[in-house]
Amino acid sequence: MEVRSENVQVRCDKLPAPVIPRTRLQVWFIRVCSSIVLWTCLVQLAAVGELWHPHLLAGITNRMTQVAQLRAEQVQSPPPFLPARKYKSNGYLRVSCNGGLNQMRAAICDMVTVARLLNLTLVVPELDKMSFWADPSNFEDIFDVRHFINSLRDEVRIIKRVPKRFNRKHGLIPLEMPPVSWSNEKYYLQQILPLFGKYKVLHFNKTDARLANNGIPPDLQKLRCRVNFQALKFTPQIETLGYKLVRMLQEKGPFVALHLRYEMDMLAFSGCTHGCTKEEAEDLKRMRYAYPWWREKEIVSEARRSQGLCPLTPEEIALVLQALGFGKDTQIYIAAGEIYGSERRLVALRAAFPWIVKKEMLLAPEELQQFHNHSSQMAALDFMVSVASSTFIPTYDGNMAKVVEGHRRYLGFKKTILLDRKRLVDLLDMHRNRTLSWTEFVVAVRLAHEKRMGQPMWRKVIIDKPKEEDYFYANPQECLCEGTNCDDLRGPGNSSRIR
């Protein structure tokens, strides 16, 4: 070997070739070429996959998108709170909500609106602990109280408790009263507001349906929506578990949330015993008499059923779902408490739809432990799943069914099948006594529900009969068409005539 200088060629066949360092340009060129090759391979694989399984990649993409959207909802940073509204408060309003979770939810929205109308300071609402469910939960156990207060501070001042100088220890006794049901702004301005001149604190001890569905100024109607859809946010514990349930269901594809209201309290309250044994009917009757605030006592079950005033039984809903076109592979989440008769009453429904699940089947016992004996918190989980479902089907038009229906309308008129129970019981009975074939039954059921899928429509108004008109929270039309022509959305076949 002979080396003369750094520039002299090295003559030795056995030495390894020198390592020539790559320039930045070479590295960049290699990376660009590699990326092109990689993307070309991916495109080719996608094309081949589409030829072999045209729906496979679309299904995977849809599921990934659903999961991504769900996670985005969880991590999306909330908008900054608006500055607090400055006003002279006319007094303090305490409210005790009555009923189940969704009845109380609507009442909270109404009471915020009343406080705004009368320039009052609202005390964080008290929740019902004396109802059938005997749930000891406070407001902050179900809703994010800090978010509730801060998100509405530009509208109304909300505090956690009445100042000490206004409590009973200082000799001040608040006026307790239930406001008149279905009242408009005139009632509150003329009859309630003057009371604050004498009583600095008013306590509304009943809040269900105390604000009219209709005839309320648009800005107040929109405030009801804002409270419902934005301010009433569940606690992080409830939301975390609720999103987990939704994610587990969506990962397996579209799913139906079935609000199967075949529960002991509903059957006892409504007097509906169709499909029950004589012993069960007697148990339900005894339960109805045990609660003095359940006013109707003597009820003829079959007469109530023929009027469409009973929840459908599990056996009936199995036939209805099949007639509506849901197949055996449909994933169904039962959003309800304990079904009366337990698993025995679900045999027919499970035979028709094997993919039936409940929260108790999807979550570990320790995950639900924190919610035991807290029915409203359990109901909050079902509420979240029902709102997020591909299709929502209530078997009875109670408070949860109505509030979920309105929430789904607000989210873009998501499919909600509103069963015509009065028509259905006639069809079911005719099919059972063989005067209506299965094919005829299917056609009749589908025709009856063509315009009952949660499409946009006007809220029905019945003068002097507020209990019979459409519920505001089931169809808050004033809040659904910002920037859009509602008449175009509704179309000629979807509008309900306002009387």
Side-chain angles (χ1 to χ4, degrees):
M1 180 176 68
E2 181 180 356
V3 181
R4 296 181 181 177
S5 69
E6 290 182 4
N7 296 325
V8 178
Q9 183 179 5
V10 178
R11 297 177 181 176
C12 183
D13 296 336
K14 294 182 180 181
L15 287 177
V19 178
I20 302 175
R22 294 175 178 172
T23 65
R24 290 185 178 180
L25 182 62
Q26 288 174 320
V27 172
W28 175 83
F29 181 75
I30 292 170
R31 287 179 178 176
V32 170
C33 291
S34 301
S35 299
I36 293 172
V37 172
L38 180 61
W39 278 107
T40 303
C41 293
L42 286 173
V43 171
Q44 293 298 323
L45 283 172
V48 173
E50 188 68 18
L51 288 173
W52 287 348
H53 299 286
H55 304 293
L56 177 61
L57 292 176
I60 293 173
T61 304
N62 289 338
R63 292 178 191 177
M64 290 176 66
T65 302
Q66 288 175 344
V67 173
Q69 288 174 344
L70 185 65
R71 288 177 178 170
E73 290 176 6
Q74 299 180 57
V75 302
Q76 186 177 18
S77 58
F81 296 123
L82 295 173
R85 173 172 168 254
K86 295 181 180 180
Y87 63 96
K88 181 181 178 181
S89 176
N90 290 317
Y92 297 89
L93 178 61
R94 280 184 55 205
V95 296
S96 293
C97 302
N98 56 299
L101 173 66
N102 292 286
Q103 181 171 305
M104 293 191 292
R105 184 187 186 102
I108 292 166
C109 300
D110 288 350
M111 292 302 104
V112 170
T113 304
V114 169
R116 175 63 175 84
L117 172 66
L118 304 182
N119 283 332
L120 302 175
T121 298
L122 178 69
V123 182
V124 170
E126 302 163 11
L127 303 188
D128 193 343
K129 297 178 175 61
M130 303 299 293
S131 64
F132 166 80
W133 303 277
D135 187 339
S137 300
N138 293 315
F139 185 97
E140 60 270 19
D141 297 320
I142 300 175
F143 301 107
D144 187 331
V145 66
R146 181 179 295 180
H147 176 81
F148 176 70
I149 293 172
N150 289 335
S151 64
L152 294 170
R153 66 184 184 180
D154 61 310
E155 293 283 2
V156 63
R157 188 179 306 131
I158 304 174
I159 59 176
K160 292 186 178 180
R161 58 188 62 85
V162 176
K164 290 182 179 181
R165 67 181 184 276
F166 293 112
N167 61 27
R168 291 178 181 270
K169 291 182 180 179
H170 288 74
L172 192 145
I173 300 176
L175 175 63
E176 293 198 16
M177 62 174 291
V180 176
S181 299
W182 312 113
S183 296
N184 58 23
E185 61 171 339
K186 184 177 178 180
Y187 164 79
Y188 284 101
L189 288 169
Q190 295 183 358
Q191 298 191 43
I192 298 299
L193 182 57
L195 295 175
F196 284 94
K198 181 178 180 181
Y199 304 93
K200 290 300 180 184
V201 180
L202 254 67
H203 179 195
F204 287 167
N205 50 23
K206 283 190 177 179
T207 57
D208 58 316
R210 305 293 151 164
L211 192 60
N213 292 311
N214 304 289
I216 304 295
D219 60 323
L220 294 181
Q221 295 287 54
K222 290 182 179 181
L223 177 57
R224 296 168 89 176
C225 292
R226 181 179 167 188
V227 182
N228 190 23
F229 302 130
Q230 298 174 29
L232 285 177
K233 182 180 178 183
F234 292 125
T235 63
Q237 294 86 348
I238 292 175
E239 287 209 338
T240 297
L241 213 52
Y243 282 128
K244 181 177 181 179
L245 280 170
V246 173
R247 184 173 65 251
M248 293 172 74
L249 290 161
Q250 287 183 342
E251 285 174 349
K252 296 179 181 178
F255 70 95
V256 172
L258 177 64
H259 185 41
L260 189 59
R261 198 65 170 94
Y262 200 77
E263 299 157 307
M264 189 175 187
D265 65 296
M266 175 49 64
L267 299 179
F269 174 76
S270 62
C272 298
T273 58
H274 183 74
C276 295
T277 64
K278 288 184 178 180
E279 293 77 13
E280 289 173 333
E282 284 300 316
D283 285 343
L284 294 171
K285 185 176 181 179
R286 281 193 292 271
M287 181 179 179
R288 182 165 68 254
Y289 275 85
Y291 288 87
W293 54 88
W294 289 359
R295 296 176 184 174
E296 287 190 72
K297 300 300 178 185
E298 289 299 327
I299 297 175
V300 179
S301 175
E302 288 306 312
R304 182 66 63 94
R305 178 175 176 267
S306 66
Q307 296 167 4
L309 301 176
C310 288
L312 296 180
T313 68
E315 296 86 357
E316 289 173 334
I317 195 64
L319 292 172
V320 172
L321 290 176
Q322 289 174 316
L324 287 170
F326 292 98
K328 206 174 182 69
D329 59 345
T330 301
Q331 185 184 194
I332 297 178
Y333 175 90
I334 295 184
E338 181 65 27
I339 302 302
Y340 190 58
S342 195
E343 285 298 314
R344 174 179 62 83
R345 293 309 302 269
L346 293 176
V347 171
L349 187 58
R350 285 195 184 280
F353 301 97
W355 297 102
I356 286 180
V357 295
K358 298 187 288 186
K359 53 185 171 292
E360 293 83 1
M361 297 169 61
L362 296 174
L363 300 173
E366 55 270 21
E367 291 179 292
L368 286 173
Q369 182 65 39
Q370 60 183 313
F371 301 120
H372 282 178
N373 300 320
H374 294 84
S375 59
S376 291
Q377 296 182 47
M378 286 284 201
L381 296 176
D382 285 339
F383 179 89
M384 290 185 65
V385 175
S386 297
V387 168
S389 63
S390 309
T391 305
F392 175 63
I393 306 176
T395 62
Y396 188 76
D397 57 352
N399 289 294
M400 176 169 170
K402 292 175 180 177
V403 175
V404 170
E405 176 193 348
H407 215 106
R408 291 172 64 82
R409 287 179 183 274
Y410 181 77
L411 294 176
F413 302 99
K414 299 175 71 175
K415 189 174 183 180
T416 302
I417 302 180
L418 306 171
L419 299 178
D420 185 346
R421 292 186 306 281
K422 185 175 182 180
R423 177 67 176 142
L424 283 174
V425 294
D426 288 339
L427 295 175
L428 286 161
D429 289 345
M430 286 190 289
H431 176 61
R432 282 193 179 122
N433 62 28
R434 299 184 180 181
T435 59
L436 194 68
S437 69
W438 175 251
T439 301
E440 293 170 326
F441 177 74
V442 168
V443 171
V445 169
R446 294 187 181 184
L447 282 174
H449 294 89
E450 276 185 338
K451 298 178 183 178
R452 300 177 66 91
M453 298 286 181
Q455 303 101 319
M457 61 178 58
W458 291 110
R459 196 169 59 241
K460 183 174 63 177
V461 179
I462 304 177
I463 304 300
D464 297 328
K465 293 184 179 179
K467 291 184 179 180
E468 298 179 23
E469 64 186 10
D470 289 342
Y471 189 43
F472 172 80
Y473 292 101
N475 185 13
Q477 62 189 38
E478 295 88 340
C479 314
L480 305 181
C481 305
E482 292 291 340
T484 306
N485 188 319
C486 284
D487 293 329
D488 290 344
L489 275 177
R490 291 184 179 93
N494 291 334
S495 297
S496 295
R497 184 168 58 90
I498 299 181
R499 293 182 285 170

